[in-house]
Amino acid sequence: MADNGEIYRGAGTKTLVLLEFDAIRTRVAACALSEEAARRIAAEVPRTDPLEVGELKGLVAAVLARMREVEKRESLPDIGFLLPKLAVEGAVLELDEAYGLGLFVERAWTLRTWLAGVPEEEPLGALVAAVPDCTAVSREVFRVLDKEGKLRDLNEFKEIRQRIRNLSRDLENLMAGYTGNEDTRRMLQSTVPSQRDGRLVLALKANFRGRIKGIVHEVSSSGQTLFVEPGEVVEKNNEILIEQRRLDAEIHRVLRDLTGRIATQRQSLEALHERIIDLEMIRAKARYAWETGGHFAETGGARSLILKQARHPLLGVQAVPIDFAMNEDTTTVIITGPNTGGKTVALKTLGLFALMNQAGLALPAEEGTALPVFDGVYADIGDEQSLSQSLSTFSAHITTIAAILAIATERSLVLLDELGSGTDPQEGSAIAMAILDHLIEERVRLITTTHHGILKNYGYTREGVENASVEFDGKTLSPTYRIVMGLPGESHAVDIAGRNGLPLGIIERARTYLTEEQSDVSALIAGLKKKHQDLDAVAAQGRLETVRLQEARRQADLRELRLRQQEANLKAGTTGNLRLLLTESRKTLENLVRELREEEITREKTLKVKEFLHVLEETVRTEESSLEAENLALLEEQRRLDHVKFQSTPAKGPIGPGSAVLAGEYKRRGTVVRAGKKGAWIVELGSLKMSFAEDQLNLLPPSAVETKPLIATADLVVARSARLEINLRGMRMEAALETLRHQLDAAVLSGLGEFSVVHGKGDGILQRGVHEFLKGQPQVADYYFSRPELGGFGRTEVVLKGFM
């Protein structure tokens, strides 16, 4: 296994920054009473060994329990830099260094005594018992120094200090002879003697120079004052200086001896220092838990991830508690919902909690919160666009995700924000699903957010994938920041835009476009919620009937396929027969007309024409009868097909909007849209909506309409109706080609063989783009510019295959 530092380099280091783990480390470090412990906490990375994480949390919890009984708080001096000095032969500690060392040992023993009540069989008790006793060092230090760090008046110093005091008194008397004498006082700038280089001197006015004999030590910057040491004072100053040097030498000797005695305990001091700093780091984490009122996450299962009332630790009172759950069978959660709804905050909360848990920290959440120990937490959150590296938003995201995919394992946690964003929605969704497929296959724990509707559907088609959403209050048009597990969410972009000041006219126009161009996502979500509830209620019954229904469905699909092939062959044959009939009839009729024009009209020729028309009428009637018979056969086959496909007992219960039913005489499957007039119901059959009395409807059981195993991923948009002419002027190239693509699809589905595209002339860019697009479409038979009176080079006529 790689060490923690190695894991949290590269993508891992970026994750620590994205999830703001540095801010948490800074807050914990502020709780430490040692600068060394604070520095270590600020540089600490989460552990990845489950045993280490469990042991660390146990130690912090034990110290926290002791802290709740009684707390002892004393700062610890920084001595880490002093310990190497003790290994140097002849090294001498300075007074403040010796004082810091003695203070550290004394307070370290106080900390050990505070924790000594913990039984040794417990991990904390064993750690405390391993702290060596170095109190002899503190006793040595404080024999020389007092508790304020000042040198004590030892016997070695008494005689020298007394000699210095006597000489200083004699010196003061000599100086008083100058400052107290009226004749000499007028020569002085000040009656208070000054010091220069540790020697007493007089401040003599420059105009009295030479009046007092002695040594000039300095001249003021103005030149008005001379600092003179009188001749009779020189000897006294010399004697004091000699005695002071004697005292310094004695102090140095005492400190050298003290350093030597301390150096013999160097190894014990190093062990003491290391263990006490470890204990102080644990105490700081316990103090953080005390101040934040957090709880330690349970281990749960090897893969269970449960958050209960979790609050982001950096948001303070503004944090909204969230609940989140991933059981051992769930590898991926897809979170959807509105912008500013809290998706990204939820993602950051999950990732930050994982990092904090593996650093031995209590979490701001309720008891019952459980987290596995991950071998790495990797995130791609926010806009990482880089101008210096020529990376777009999309490229930056993909670069980060590629790095994550290269190192993520089954024990990793991956957090991806707005997966598939920053590019074409269709291609972005495809890339997103491919990434999800890969991570699911590798069983990587993944939590992602998205706005792509197709990914909401993806969550219902994959084992081990669950949808979730951030809640939105429809009354206040604002998010509640709570997570709802099991259901996808709506974006509510229009509502949020209106709430943030977009003009009402624009909002209404957006709603119009939304109604015309997109499927009703609200209805989809409501339907999914109802299905979610219904499926829970009938899950047991559905499992019992699954095998039988799958076989019946397979047979029905085979028959339906044969039915569609027969229908296609019938249409092709009928069309060919009619074309052949019309061709031959046209030739015969043209010959008759030519004969009538060239010769006289006789009764025989008239009868011949009537006979031709009679034969043509009979032929058409025969073709119609044949076509009607084929249609009846197809309808009968369809009835048998529907009977096989839905042979289970019809469900009982009320019919309402969204109900799946078999409608009419031929039992065609459809969906109830709304109530009609006089007790009837409006039912959607494919692209048609028809009215049926309630006794003409058979409600399908939930098991017969459950579609999850057969759902295919697709854009949730309503097919546009085909138009005879579409206008692309004023559109960007991408939007124009998307509109043209939908027009082609709609034309094929509705049987429209020709239509016009107005693209304008301009610089010809849109014109060339349209022609290049049409050239690559397999359903396009031909395209050409319109006649001049219809638009010429600014308009293109499109002809589809099968209609020429």
Side-chain angles (χ1 to χ4, degrees), residues 425-711:
Q426 185 174 1
E427 294 186 10
S429 296
I431 293 173
M433 288 189 291
I435 292 171
L436 291 176
D437 286 342
H438 173 80
L439 292 173
I440 291 170
E441 290 170 2
E442 298 294 326
R443 290 188 57 77
V444 177
R445 304 304 294 275
L446 168 66
I447 304 169
T448 182
T449 67
T450 185
H451 280 291
H452 289 307
I454 195 170
L455 293 185
K456 303 174 186 178
N457 191 30
Y458 181 95
Y460 284 102
T461 64
R462 295 295 188 278
E463 291 296 329
V465 181
E466 186 172 1
N467 279 314
S469 59
V470 285
E471 195 175 53
F472 189 82
D473 191 334
K475 295 181 180 179
T476 62
L477 300 181
S478 60
T480 64
Y481 304 104
R482 302 185 188 279
I483 294 181
V484 180
M485 301 300 297
L487 295 173
E490 304 172 62
S491 293
H492 290 286
V494 176
D495 294 330
I496 294 173
R499 187 168 174 266
N500 284 278
L502 202 62
L504 181 61
I506 295 177
I507 295 298
E508 292 302 323
R509 182 171 294 183
R511 294 189 192 280
T512 301
Y513 280 127
L514 192 63
T515 302
E516 292 177 353
E517 305 293 341
Q518 284 186 308
S519 62
D520 189 356
V521 178
S522 298
L524 171 66
I525 300 304
L528 287 173
K529 288 180 180 179
K530 186 175 184 302
K531 286 182 181 180
H532 199 278
Q533 297 167 354
D534 292 344
L535 288 173
D536 287 342
V538 300
Q541 178 186 354
R543 283 191 294 269
L544 293 175
E545 295 185 6
T546 296
V547 175
R548 182 172 60 83
L549 285 176
Q550 284 180 343
E551 178 61 23
R553 187 177 292 117
R554 188 181 71 84
Q555 295 294 335
D557 289 341
L558 289 174
R559 295 190 184 189
E560 186 173 7
L561 177 60
R562 289 195 294 268
L563 179 63
R564 289 179 178 175
Q565 290 173 342
Q566 186 177 354
E567 185 178 3
N569 294 336
L570 175 62
K571 288 182 178 180
T574 303
T575 302
N577 291 338
L578 288 176
R579 285 181 177 174
L580 181 60
L581 175 62
L582 289 174
T583 301
E584 293 177 351
S585 299
R586 185 183 296 112
K587 291 179 180 178
T588 304
L589 186 58
E590 287 175 353
N591 290 334
L592 289 173
V593 171
R594 187 167 57 252
E595 290 178 6
L596 290 174
R597 287 178 177 174
E598 293 175 354
E599 302 176 10
E600 286 187 20
I601 299 176
T602 63
R603 183 174 181 277
E604 180 183 352
K605 293 180 178 179
T606 302
L607 290 174
K608 190 176 181 180
V609 172
K610 290 181 178 181
E611 182 182 358
F612 167 75
L613 294 176
H614 176 72
V615 172
L616 179 60
E617 182 179 359
E618 286 297 326
T619 303
V620 172
R621 189 178 294 114
T622 301
E623 292 291 339
E624 289 178 346
S625 299
S626 175
L627 182 59
E628 184 177 357
E630 291 289 348
N631 284 333
L632 289 175
L634 287 173
L635 291 174
E636 182 63 27
E637 180 69 14
Q638 184 67 53
R639 281 198 298 273
R640 288 198 302 271
L641 177 63
D642 290 334
H643 176 71
V644 172
K645 186 176 289 189
F646 306 110
Q647 56 184 302
S648 59
T649 304
K652 297 180 180 180
I655 294 177
S659 298
V661 296
L662 298 178
E665 177 184 357
Y666 298 115
K667 304 301 181 186
R668 301 305 298 273
R669 187 171 67 178
T671 303
V672 176
V673 178
R674 65 178 184 276
K677 297 180 180 179
K678 299 180 180 180
W681 293 94
I682 304 301
V683 180
E684 185 175 23
L685 302 173
S687 60
L688 299 177
K689 293 181 181 178
M690 301 179 64
S691 176
F692 293 91
E694 188 164 341
D695 58 0
Q696 293 180 293
L697 302 177
N698 288 334
L699 183 65
L700 288 174
S703 59
V705 297
E706 182 178 356
T707 58
K708 179 174 179 177
L710 299 176
I711 289 179

Side-chain angles (χ1 to χ4, degrees), residues 296-494:
F296 294 98
E298 301 172 2
T299 303
R303 294 177 62 84
S304 293
L305 194 161
I306 302 170
L307 301 186
K308 290 188 176 182
Q309 295 294 288
R311 304 175 302 280
H312 195 288
L314 299 180
L315 295 181
V317 295
Q318 297 179 346
V320 176
I322 64 172
D323 292 317
F324 187 87
M326 289 179 73
N327 58 34
E328 294 186 5
D329 297 327
T330 302
T331 61
T332 301
V333 173
I334 301 173
I335 304 177
T336 52
N339 289 314
T340 70
K343 298 190 299 298
T344 302
V345 172
L347 214 59
K348 286 188 173 184
T349 302
L350 288 162
L352 187 55
F353 269 39
L355 297 175
M356 292 174 63
N357 176 59
Q358 292 175 215
L361 299 176
L363 310 177
E366 297 299 324
E367 292 184 356
T369 294
L371 286 167
V373 176
F374 302 103
D375 64 5
V377 178
Y378 309 109
D380 177 44
I381 299 175
D383 185 357
E384 294 296 319
Q385 182 173 357
S386 173
L387 296 179
S388 62
Q389 299 181 22
S390 300
L391 290 178
S392 66
T393 298
F394 176 72
S395 298
H397 281 305
I398 293 301
T399 301
T400 300
I401 292 173
I404 291 173
L405 295 180
I407 56 178
T409 71
E410 186 177 348
R411 284 191 54 223
S412 301
L413 174 64
V414 175
L415 309 169
L416 303 179
D417 190 27
E418 300 295 353
L419 182 60
S421 63
T423 187
D424 174 76
Q426 185 174 1
E427 294 186 10
S429 296
I431 293 173
M433 288 189 291
I435 292 171
L436 291 176
D437 286 342
H438 173 80
L439 292 173
I440 291 170
E441 290 170 2
E442 298 294 326
R443 290 188 57 77
V444 177
R445 304 304 294 275
L446 168 66
I447 304 169
T448 182
T449 67
T450 185
H451 280 291
H452 289 307
I454 195 170
L455 293 185
K456 303 174 186 178
N457 191 30
Y458 181 95
Y460 284 102
T461 64
R462 295 295 188 278
E463 291 296 329
V465 181
E466 186 172 1
N467 279 314
S469 59
V470 285
E471 195 175 53
F472 189 82
D473 191 334
K475 295 181 180 179
T476 62
L477 300 181
S478 60
T480 64
Y481 304 104
R482 302 185 188 279
I483 294 181
V484 180
M485 301 300 297
L487 295 173
E490 304 172 62
S491 293
H492 290 286
V494 176

Side-chain angles (χ1 to χ4, degrees), residues 79-360:
I79 66 164
F81 70 98
L82 292 178
L83 298 178
K85 189 173 183 179
L86 296 177
V88 178
E89 184 71 26
V92 179
L93 294 175
E94 300 293 336
L95 281 176
D96 56 342
E97 294 175 342
Y99 177 67
L101 190 60
L103 210 58
F104 181 88
V105 172
E106 188 176 74
R107 292 180 178 177
W109 192 251
T110 301
L111 175 60
R112 183 192 185 282
T113 304
W114 177 60
L115 297 172
V118 181
E120 287 191 20
E121 58 269 17
E122 297 182 8
L124 179 60
L127 184 61
V128 172
V131 175
D133 184 0
C134 296
T135 52
V137 172
S138 62
R139 287 195 297 270
E140 286 288 346
V141 170
F142 291 114
R143 187 188 68 81
V144 175
L145 306 176
D146 61 19
K147 292 299 182 180
E148 282 72 39
K150 296 179 180 179
L151 201 63
R152 293 182 182 275
D153 191 16
L154 302 176
N155 291 330
E156 295 91 327
F157 309 144
K158 285 183 178 180
E159 184 269 332
I160 299 175
R161 284 177 171 172
Q162 183 60 45
R163 172 72 174 158
I164 291 174
R165 284 194 292 270
N166 293 337
L167 290 172
S168 297
R169 187 168 49 252
D170 293 344
L171 181 60
E172 290 174 1
N173 291 334
L174 285 175
M175 297 299 282
Y178 289 96
T179 58
N181 186 285
E182 186 65 30
D183 293 334
T184 57
R185 185 190 306 167
R186 61 186 181 86
M187 304 178 190
L188 303 177
Q189 293 283 13
S190 172
T191 58
V192 178
S194 300
Q195 277 202 357
R196 291 293 183 274
D197 298 326
R199 306 174 74 89
L200 282 181
V201 296
L202 297 173
L204 182 67
K205 295 177 182 179
N207 55 333
F208 291 102
R209 181 176 182 176
R211 299 288 294 272
I212 297 179
K213 304 298 182 182
I215 301 170
V216 176
H217 284 267
E218 188 178 328
V219 179
S220 68
S221 58
S222 64
Q224 298 299 312
T225 304
L226 305 176
F227 295 94
V228 177
E229 180 183 9
E232 56 185 328
V233 174
V234 171
E235 187 60 29
K236 290 295 181 183
N237 272 330
N238 289 341
E239 292 180 14
I240 291 175
L241 184 60
I242 292 171
E243 293 300 324
Q244 189 63 51
R245 294 294 178 269
R246 284 183 59 204
L247 179 61
D248 291 343
E250 191 63 24
I251 292 173
H252 182 76
R253 182 190 64 78
V254 169
L255 289 177
R256 185 179 65 248
D257 293 345
L258 174 63
T259 303
R261 293 192 296 273
I262 293 175
T264 61
Q265 302 291 320
R266 180 175 60 84
Q267 292 183 347
S268 296
L269 285 172
E270 289 175 347
L272 172 72
H273 173 258
E274 194 63 30
R275 287 172 173 75
I276 289 298
I277 294 301
D278 287 343
L279 283 173
E280 181 54 33
M281 291 174 66
I282 294 171
R283 181 170 66 171
K285 293 177 180 181
R287 184 69 189 179
Y288 176 78
W290 173 292
E291 293 179 356
T292 59
H295 295 90
F296 294 98
E298 301 172 2
T299 303
R303 294 177 62 84
S304 293
L305 194 161
I306 302 170
L307 301 186
K308 290 188 176 182
Q309 295 294 288
R311 304 175 302 280
H312 195 288
L314 299 180
L315 295 181
V317 295
Q318 297 179 346
V320 176
I322 64 172
D323 292 317
F324 187 87
M326 289 179 73
N327 58 34
E328 294 186 5
D329 297 327
T330 302
T331 61
T332 301
V333 173
I334 301 173
I335 304 177
T336 52
N339 289 314
T340 70
K343 298 190 299 298
T344 302
V345 172
L347 214 59
K348 286 188 173 184
T349 302
L350 288 162
L352 187 55
F353 269 39
L355 297 175
M356 292 174 63
N357 176 59
Q358 292 175 215

